[in-house]
Amino acid sequence: MVSCKKYLETTPKGQFLLSNYYSTKAQAFAGVVACYNVLPYNYYAYLVALNGASDDSYTGGGNSGDQSGMQAFNNYPLINSGSGTADVFWYSLYNGVANTNVIIHALPSVPALPTDSLNRYMGESKFFRAYYYFDLVRLFKNIPLILEPLTTGNAYTQLQVAPSAIYAQIEDDLKAAIPGLPPTVPAGENGRVTQGTARALLGKVYLYEQKWTLAAEQLTQVNGTPGGVSQYGYKLLPNYADIFALNNKFSSESIYEVGQSNVVANFSNNYTQYIGPRGSTVPFWYTGGYGFNPITPDLVNLMKSDPRYPYTMINMDSLAKATKTSYQPSFQNTGYFTRKYAPITTEHTTFGWGNNFIIIRLADTYLMEAEALVQGGGDKQRAQALLDAVRARVKLPSIPASLTNIYTERRLELAQEGNRWFDLVRTGQAATALAGKGFKAGLNEILPIPQHDLNNTKLKQNPGYR
Amino acid sequence: MKYKPLLLKIMRITFLQSILVFSIMGSVYANGVKAQAVLDTKISIKETDSQLRLVLQKLGKEYQIEFVYSPDIINEKLVVNVDMRRKKLSDVLRKILQPLNLSFDMVGDVIVIRNFNGDPENVPFSSTTWSSSEAQANQSERIIPVEAQVVITGKVTDEKGEAIPGVTVRHKETGKAQATDVNGEYTMVLPEAAGTLSFSFLGYQTKDVVIGSDRSINITLVAVNGNLNEVVVVGYGTQKRSEIAGAISSVKASDMKDQQITRIDDALQGRVPGVSVVQSSGAPGSGPSIHIRGVTSINNSDPLYVIDGVVVDNGGIDNINPSDIASIDVLKDAAAAIYGSRSSAGVILITTKKGKPGAPVLTYDGNYGLQNPIHKVQLTNAAQYTTLRNEAVTNDGGTAPFANPSGYGTGTNWQNVIFGKNVPIQNHNITVSGGSDKSTYYTSFGYLDQQGIILPSIANYKRANFTINTSSKIVNWLTIGENLSMDYGKSQLSLNANGSNNSGPLTSALMLDPLTPVVVTDINAQPNAAVYNNPNYAPYLAYDPQGHPYGISNYVQNAASNPLAYVQNQQGYSWQTNIFGNVFVELRPIAGLTIRSQISTKVAYYGTRSFTPLYFLSLGDNNLTINHQYEESDRNITINWDNTVNYARSFGLHKFTLLAGTNIQNEGGHGLNGNFYGEPVTSFSQASPNFSIADINKIANGNDAQPYRLASVFGRLIYDYDQKYLLNVTVRRDGSSKFGTNNIYGVFPSAEAGYVISREKFFPRDNFVDFLKIRGSYGVLGNERPLGTFAYTTTIGGGRNAIFGDNGVALGSNPNGLANPDLRWEQVKMSDIGFDAIIFKDFNISFDAYHKVNSGMLDNPQLPSYVGATADPSVNVGDMLNKGLELSVNYNQKIGQVHLNAGGNIAYNQNKITSLTRYKTYGAIGGGSNLEIQRTTVGQPYQEFYGYQELGVFRSQGEINAYKNSSGGLIQPNAKPGDFKWADLNSDGTINTDDRKFLGQSTAPYSYGINLSATYKQFDLKVFGQGVWGNMIAQDYRRLDYPGSNYQIAAVNSWTPTNSNSNYPRLTDNDPNGNFKNFSNFYLQSGAYFRIKTFQLGYTLPEELIKRANMKKVRIYLSVNNLATITKYNGYDPEISGGIDYAVYPQARTFILGLNVSL
């Protein structure tokens, strides 16, 4: 019977068993790579929904029912448990957390793993655990803190913890990550987390916690001398148009960038597909898509005279006229479409589009540091210099580094990059700015916990949601 | 060495003892086993010059055994010298007897000592009276006094002269009885040559013979009417119908040969009570869904198929040519337990035809048929359609879009465009078979070519089969043989299956408006002329041979497109080649013992070739960017190795068959596919991967099937006493690579018992009941097939990749989910009681009642998503109950020159879910329009219809105002006259999703079949019909998301202020009251139907006419498939599986002309 039992012991093809995995450096690295895997597939949904949730653009799309979960983000009364995209945020972020927990748990016992590899892998994994928890706590606030792989035994019994406990863990993870991470990476490793990436995120986290001094302290190390080259090699690009240019991936301004590709299957940028206008009949340089995230007249008016306007949006109506073509105005059409991540016709392949997502860039950390300095009573001159550097790059004159000016600068500089909604909520401007979309103060600052995770668990719904 | 055969017999006995363990039946076989066991008893003996007689007497006394011999051969002169220690009695006897030129044989309970002079088979019992020399005064009373004994021998055969083993031979006067041996022979030792011997055997008329002077009495028994003598395949063996105690139904080749079926599973439809065969599509080559005794599981409820003893994959029987089938046996109850962990949904055993000894026989069976649609759905014509559209739009507050509806006339009838007329089907089969008594062969070739009735130009299925098998008896104890079949099948893609829900040509024909012309001759007269004229689309429109574009609807798009344009873009086919073969060796070292080893493989090659050109069907369905060729090629292989030892033997009236066996199975496979974009061609016929295109436009994928292995041991005891008490006990232990770490092996026992009460002495003779068997069975069956490979553990999944640098792929891996080491098969406990009877000589009746509980059904309870697992684990949760009744009646009679055979069967099955996991939301099963149509809930049948209850139409505002809740508010404040009044089922004063209820079963609880065949002289007539009732069908033909879709004719009667008595609600696209959006009883119709599947008239040419041409048989026939269907259902075809009719490819009515020839 022993031989019979052996006969029945099969090994899977094209897969390993967890029981004997994580036993080589390559396998450990594969586990680290998996931590990176959440954003390439899901970041488009954050952009569509959160841009649509802000005052910079609408959700748009084919009709009012197209991607109903995303539609709810610009029609706040529709946001409710089970409304789709909020659920996607929850499960993709917790999937990310689980990926990091698995490898953080496994790394210490990987045999013959060199210490520098161990430290770097641990740093990358902890960076991502912090990243995912930061999004989770910002979006859902009352969440369970899971730091070990769960089993069928404890899967249903997790409890929500105070947001401060989550923030404390995020800080711990980032602080633990920084020393093991390399200051810079060779070109072939572009996209991997560096010390600068982790510091930028830590600074951002402190900013959200309103720990102004700590925030400025971290961001200073990222930014260096305003307008100069920082210790990590970061430097503002001289030309604003180059930031999202396809031939300029992983530029000196990019602090955290998610790799996408139009020559590798499954890595196309969906956001690019989403924002193209519908049914544009003759494909010109800017090709067709699903018609999402049309720009609000509010932002159009604000930016009309800004030098960054042509690199932020395109006026589809005038373009169509000029090229003697047409497009199908879709839901919430304003005639203005997103230029960043633009679907450039010539860049399209059978795999789709290859625009990388830029999640944190230097202009953002400049403005965050300026804000932290102003808020925390720090170095005013440095704050001014940081703001000036961002404006000088697009040939705009200096304006006083007031909080209002910094906020406005953030909106203009970072339009359609996914920051606006968080900024509005964080700075308490959301209720006013988003009143037209039905935003309710005290409710819509956070999202409902998905009903799926309330069933048979110990989680409680966020207040105000049913 | 003439004594060899006898010696061999003795040796057989000892040989047997060494391989089979008899102890388990000790008490049952007291007598027979005693004699056996005694021969094996180890004894020590020391005799010097002792008289043989006295030695035998001593041994007889000591071991309670009777020796029979003639004083002629054993006299006082014979002396024995022996000194043996711890030797078997048989060896001792041989040692003693051989030097004296004597031998011994066990006959019944006694040991007969014989002389070797002359033929040992005949001599001892021919005429001499045998007796022991001493009076047996000291023997126990069991031992018959041997003085004046008479030995009567003989052989029992059937009408064909074949031996019948197991016939009870009873001496009426003394009651002494025994059964004939495997050669049909018996030996009775009687006190005197007087009285009556009664020969009785199940399935044969009992015969009494008065003993006369003849000591050899050979008997021929005549079979009774009915199926009692039918050989039934029971899995790793066969049994006679009369002797089985389980619920096993059979279909024989003779039943099938008159039905022109293209697949063998169709042969089961309506033939076997409790086996539901529902055509899921009438498309050529498509298979039915088969459930034995209801839906067994929410997972896999497909029966297990076993072909010639080889378990084949699910659905792996497409390749079998129906004309090669000798019989199909269906194990419906605990009898299936011999197949262990895959048996829960029943087992279908298919036996293919083999050659028979005799001169070569060539047969040709061929037919040619013309297929036509049975029924078309009545839709509105152009004038009616425009009227209704005006109504719908104005009801929603819009402006009527069509100015003068009556001016549109009849318009296009799209159904006439898609349905073919007199669509051909042909089927040809040639077999040659024959052999000698040493070796037989069978070979056949079959060819089927069927076109579909929908768009026959591209809907077709072709299949060619080739089979050869031989069997050779090398020496009388060794037989080897093999069976090899190959087939090739080719099927047009997608059209055959009518695409997915609510798409494809049939759906297009139902939805397209009658205003759109089939072919546009004047583009500028079309309301959507801009589409035709658009320079971007024009090159990719479909054109008729005259160069006119096919019409594109202005009102209905996306999933609906002009079928003739659609045809031009459906380019490609799927193909399959199967090689199925086995070789076996069979040893019969001694009578009754069969050792068999069989290795079999099934190799399936299959794939797809297709091409998507640049095309424009509509704004919603076009490809304007790049053309695409797809090539796929896969191979699956299954290897089985089966070893069995079967031993059959009888002692007196005790008969038993013992089986022990092992099986190992190994399954695997792999496949590759490639995508080729942008070839410089425009059609499938030109497309080829040979074209040089950029590497980025070539995308390949591959797959390896996960390994799947099974290792099993099984055993079975079949026992009967006097064919009166029947017992069948089986056990199987299955090990499967799919089982969890804590459950590597599963044990599946079963027992069946039968009682042939009509063989009891007290059972009244000359009664109208000629035969009555009561039987019952219980067994534990398994269902491992829903288990995924490695579902019990946590695997590492790849593909969690990232891009580093410029397009550099870093490969990421990660655990897939949580482990469940307790994972195991679903366990089904099956009980059955029933009876088989023959009454009034000619009626065969069979009845069964069963109760089947599936516990531990597999499902995937949902983990909270914060766990972050990519998949929910498989866990054994959920129970389901099926209980039912089955009855079949068959009548067989010859009245004058008319031979009549009529039969019918009816079955009832009630399904109920008894438990489901709370960690999962069961609910929505969307239909084509994304409505929740069915629901699976505890306490209800699987997938029952679930929706609102309409209470008719509000005829006036007054009726709306009168429909109030307890607080005086209107229950439907937004309703308008002509809207449905919904039942407020929970009485909360509003209508919402809580006001839904279960509306009816989607699977028919009742099913029945009838068949009638009659022959008169050279003519024969066959009628076969089948039907169901008790189920509902949800008709989901009209897609609500395409408001411009055509209407069924009933909509003409929709409510309007001037047609205010109608119960058909007012038409509306916005549908604020949910008249159409809410799934309700409005959509449901009874699914009951009765269908004449076959009506056939045949004529066999008189023999004298064909004899001159050396032909054996020539028959021509005219047959109609699906001649008539009686149903109230107004859709295409009430025979659909799953209960939701989203325009399923309907079955055809086929007129067939056929020819059978035998040479």
Side-chain angles (χ1 to χ4, degrees), chain A residues 1 5 7-8 10 12-13 16 18 21 30 34 37 90 95 99 155-156 158 190 250 261 267 452-453 456, chain B residues 665 706 709 733 737 744 790 794-796 800-801 804-805 807 812-814 862-866 868 918-919:
Chain A
M1 249 19 203
K5 209 164 171 177
Y7 172 76
L8 295 173
T10 51
K13 290 191 172 178
F16 294 97
L18 177 61
Y21 201 66
N37 179 255
W90 175 274
N95 180 237
N99 292 351
Y156 296 94
Q158 299 297 309
N190 274 335
F250 303 109
S261 176
F267 275 97
H452 180 278
D453 276 24
N456 303 305
Chain B
Q665 183 178 324
Q706 293 298 351
R709 288 178 181 175
R733 182 168 181 262
S737 62
I744 296 172
F790 306 105
T794 300
T795 51
I796 298 290
R800 293 119 227 182
N801 303 345
F804 293 147
N807 303 313
S813 295
N814 216 325
Q862 286 163 345
L863 290 171
S865 37
Y866 62 66
R918 73 185 170 99
Y919 295 110

Side-chain angles (χ1 to χ4, degrees), chain A residues 129-144:
Chain A
R129 185 158 72 184
Y131 181 95
Y132 298 132
Y133 269 122
F134 182 48
D135 267 359
L136 279 165
V137 76
R138 286 195 292 169
L139 290 167
F140 297 96
K141 191 171 177 184
N142 303 301
I143 58 171

Side-chain angles (χ1 to χ4, degrees), chain B residues 383-614:
Chain B
Q384 292 163 326
Y385 169 81
T386 45
T387 308
L388 296 184
R389 288 305 303 145
N390 283 350
E391 234 177 85
V393 173
T394 50
N395 279 344
D396 289 338
T399 319
F402 301 103
N404 178 20
S406 56
Y408 286 95
T410 53
T412 305
N413 183 332
W414 290 102
Q415 291 183 89
N416 291 347
V417 173
I418 60 161
F419 280 113
K421 271 191 191 132
N422 296 329
V423 179
I425 175 172
Q426 53 183 316
N427 201 346
H428 305 277
N429 291 292
I430 296 173
T431 68
V432 178
S433 67
S436 65
D437 52 355
K438 293 282 183 203
S439 144
T440 59
Y441 61 91
Y442 174 92
T443 178
S444 79
F445 176 76
Y447 178 70
L448 168 73
D449 185 346
Q450 181 180 11
Q451 292 186 11
I453 51 170
I454 296 177
L455 297 171
S457 66
I458 51 164
N460 56 59
Y461 177 61
K462 292 184 170 81
R463 186 184 66 207
N465 293 76
F466 168 74
T467 296
I468 183 161
N469 65 60
T470 71
S471 169
S472 306
K473 196 183 255 185
I474 309 297
V475 289
N476 62 359
W477 52 268
L478 173 68
T479 305
I480 60 170
E482 86 298 313
N483 195 342
L484 177 71
S485 67
M486 283 183 67
D487 69 275
Y488 175 73
K490 183 179 170 186
S491 173
Q492 189 79 30
L493 293 172
S494 65
L495 285 169
N496 281 350
N498 195 37
S500 56
N501 289 13
N502 284 75
S503 66
L506 188 58
T507 295
S508 294
L510 286 167
M511 293 207 296
L512 282 176
D513 56 274
L515 304 185
T516 305
V518 178
V519 173
V520 176
T521 45
D522 179 5
I523 287 171
N524 291 323
Q526 294 301 309
N528 52 348
V531 174
Y532 298 91
N533 288 328
N534 187 314
N536 297 312
Y537 307 154
Y540 307 118
L541 299 183
Y543 293 90
D544 78 349
Q546 282 71 46
H548 299 304
Y550 286 113
I552 297 168
S553 175
N554 189 40
Y555 310 101
V556 195
Q557 292 181 4
N558 290 347
S561 52
N562 188 322
L564 296 184
Y566 177 83
V567 159
Q568 295 196 355
N569 300 313
Q570 290 301 306
Q571 303 183 5
Y573 60 89
S574 63
W575 56 270
Q576 59 167 2
T577 300
N578 293 292
I579 302 168
F580 184 57
N582 66 61
V583 289
F584 68 86
V585 52
E586 201 171 272
L587 300 167
R588 294 172 181 272
I590 57 166
L593 179 69
T594 310
I595 301 164
R596 185 182 165 101
S597 185
Q598 171 169 299
I599 290 183
S600 57
T601 61
K602 184 183 176 189
V603 190
Y605 298 92
Y606 56 95
T608 301
R609 312 190 70 195
S610 70
F611 181 75
T612 309
L614 296 178

Side-chain angles (χ1 to χ4, degrees), chain B residues 602-650:
Chain B
K602 184 183 176 189
V603 190
Y605 298 92
Y606 56 95
T608 301
R609 312 190 70 195
S610 70
F611 181 75
T612 309
L614 296 178
Y615 70 90
F616 185 93
L617 288 177
S618 70
L619 286 168
D621 187 0
N622 56 60
N623 174 25
L624 303 173
T625 52
I626 194 159
N627 68 35
H628 174 206
Q629 188 188 359
Y630 179 74
E631 292 265 336
E632 180 183 337
S633 182
D634 303 272
R635 189 191 79 144
N636 280 352
I637 181 161
T638 306
I639 299 170
N640 266 286
W641 184 27
D642 293 280
N643 295 296
T644 54
V645 176
N646 201 71
Y647 181 63
R649 195 167 170 123
S650 50

Side-chain angles (χ1 to χ4, degrees), chain B residues 1014-1064:
Chain B
T1015 56
Y1016 174 72
K1017 293 186 175 169
Q1018 304 304 112
F1019 293 94
D1020 58 84
L1021 170 76
K1022 306 266 155 57
V1023 183
F1024 169 60
Q1026 162 272 334
V1028 302
W1029 86 89
N1031 62 317
M1032 305 296 268
I1033 295 176
Q1035 198 178 76
D1036 196 16
Y1037 286 173
R1038 192 170 187 273
R1039 274 184 71 153
L1040 302 178
D1041 50 344
Y1042 299 139
S1045 298
N1046 201 356
Y1047 295 92
Q1048 285 199 50
I1049 198 70
V1052 169
N1053 183 37
S1054 62
W1055 188 95
T1056 61
T1058 53
N1059 184 28
S1060 62
N1061 276 331
S1062 171
N1063 260 329
Y1064 194 104

